[in-house]
């Protein structure tokens, strides 16, 4: 992550600041219990369908990347719980990639959560993508809709160097698989080497 001074790094603090939140945005949400949602009819991603589940945070000012349990790729609620437990100075960011086709980014600070799903259509296929849609209060896209858009906050990492425009451009790049998209995002927030090392060691191809 970029080397911020104390004032600059406040933008990574995701605690709900009340009036600073955009009341019209549904991309910033409070964590809720997703047990009992409608993902019961969706099969969990199998281990060989999970590219990686990683977390990034800062500890004593230093950027850290850590592998998380693969079962978190099927449970957004538990992913958020685990991100909240990390010893980050100012929250943590979780990265999940499935079948090289879809990714989820979850950014957590206390009770405040931001989410991004790279392809809204994945909510008809994968439990964690359905969880994202449910948490954001978004309508599940028609399974036959081939023009499904990203779901959530494209500016989720804007203060770290990935603007909403840049994020959209990465997602729209059909030459990149979802794991490659997340690696490119990691490069932009200056954790690329650590991200690659942990992904390759913890989740070998």
């Amino acid at each position: 992550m970029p080397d911020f001074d104390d004032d600059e790094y406040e933008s990574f603090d995701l605690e709900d600041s009340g009036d600073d939140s955009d009341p019209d945005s549904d991309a910033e949400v409070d964590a809720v219990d997703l047990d009992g949602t409608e993902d019961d009819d969706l099969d969990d991603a199998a281990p060989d369908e999970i590219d990686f589940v990683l977390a990034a945070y800062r500890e004593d000012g230093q950027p850290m990347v850590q592998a998380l349990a693969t079962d978190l790729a099927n449970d957004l609620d538990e992913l958020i719980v685990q991100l909240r437990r990390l010893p980050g100075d100012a929250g943590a960011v979780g990265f999940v990639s499935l079948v090289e086709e879809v990714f989820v980014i979850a950014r957590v600070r206390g009770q405040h959560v931001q989410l991004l799903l790279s392809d809204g259509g994945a909510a008809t296929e994968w439990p964690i993508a359905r969880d994202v849609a449910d948490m954001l209060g978004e309508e599940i896209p028609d399974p036959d809709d081939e023009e499904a858009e990203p779901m959530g906050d494209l500016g989720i990492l804007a203060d770290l160097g990935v603007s909403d425009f840049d994020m959209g451009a990465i997602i729209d790049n059909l030459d990149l698989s979802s794991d490659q998209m997340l690696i490119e995002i990691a490069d932009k927030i200056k954790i690329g080497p650590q991200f690659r090392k942990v992904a390759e060691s913890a989740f070998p191809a």
Side-chain angles (χ1 to χ4, degrees):
M1 294 183 184
D3 293 327
F4 296 123
D5 60 29
D6 291 341
D7 291 335
E8 289 173 321
Y9 203 65
E10 286 303 314
S11 58
F12 194 72
D13 188 330
L14 298 179
E15 286 186 322
D16 194 348
S17 56
D19 294 341
D20 291 338
S21 299
D22 180 355
D24 296 324
S25 172
D26 55 9
E28 297 181 353
V29 297
D30 289 330
V32 296
D33 186 356
L34 299 175
D35 292 341
T37 56
E38 297 177 1
D39 62 4
D40 294 339
D41 58 336
L42 299 179
D43 292 333
D44 282 352
D48 62 352
E49 295 175 314
I50 300 168
D51 304 318
F52 51 70
V53 186
L54 303 179
Y57 56 96
R58 290 177 71 100
E59 187 173 14
D60 297 328
Q62 297 300 313
M64 309 290 290
V65 178
Q66 175 179 319
L68 299 178
T70 55
D71 58 0
L72 299 180
N74 292 307
D75 188 342
L76 179 62
D77 197 45
E78 186 60 26
L79 173 64
I80 290 169
V81 169
Q82 296 305 317
L83 290 173
R84 190 173 289 128
R85 289 176 175 172
L86 293 174
D89 299 335
V93 184
F95 303 86
V96 177
S97 177
L98 299 175
V99 296
E100 300 183 349
E101 293 181 359
V102 59
F103 73 70
V104 172
I105 299 176
R107 193 172 179 182
V108 178
R109 173 63 188 260
Q111 293 301 309
H112 192 59
V113 179
Q114 292 170 279
L115 300 170
L116 176 62
L117 172 63
S118 62
D119 178 2
T124 65
E125 301 180 53
W126 304 105
I128 194 168
R130 177 70 61 84
D131 287 349
V132 170
D134 288 343
M135 185 175 282
L136 292 174
E138 295 280 0
E139 184 176 347
I140 305 299
D142 187 315
D144 296 326
D145 183 4
E146 297 181 358
E147 301 297 327
E149 298 291 329
M151 188 179 290
D153 186 358
L154 287 173
I156 189 171
L157 302 176
D159 58 304
L160 299 180
V162 187
S163 69
D164 54 355
F165 177 83
D166 290 338
M167 186 70 78
I170 291 171
I171 291 173
D172 288 342
N173 187 346
L174 299 181
D175 291 331
L176 296 177
S177 58
S178 59
D179 55 331
Q180 292 171 333
M181 290 178 186
L182 289 179
I183 289 171
E184 183 165 329
I185 291 167
D187 284 337
K188 286 184 176 294
I189 63 175
K190 297 182 170 34
I191 60 169
Q194 301 100 312
F195 198 95
R196 285 180 175 83
K197 181 179 180 180
V198 175
E200 291 170 0
S201 61
F203 299 91

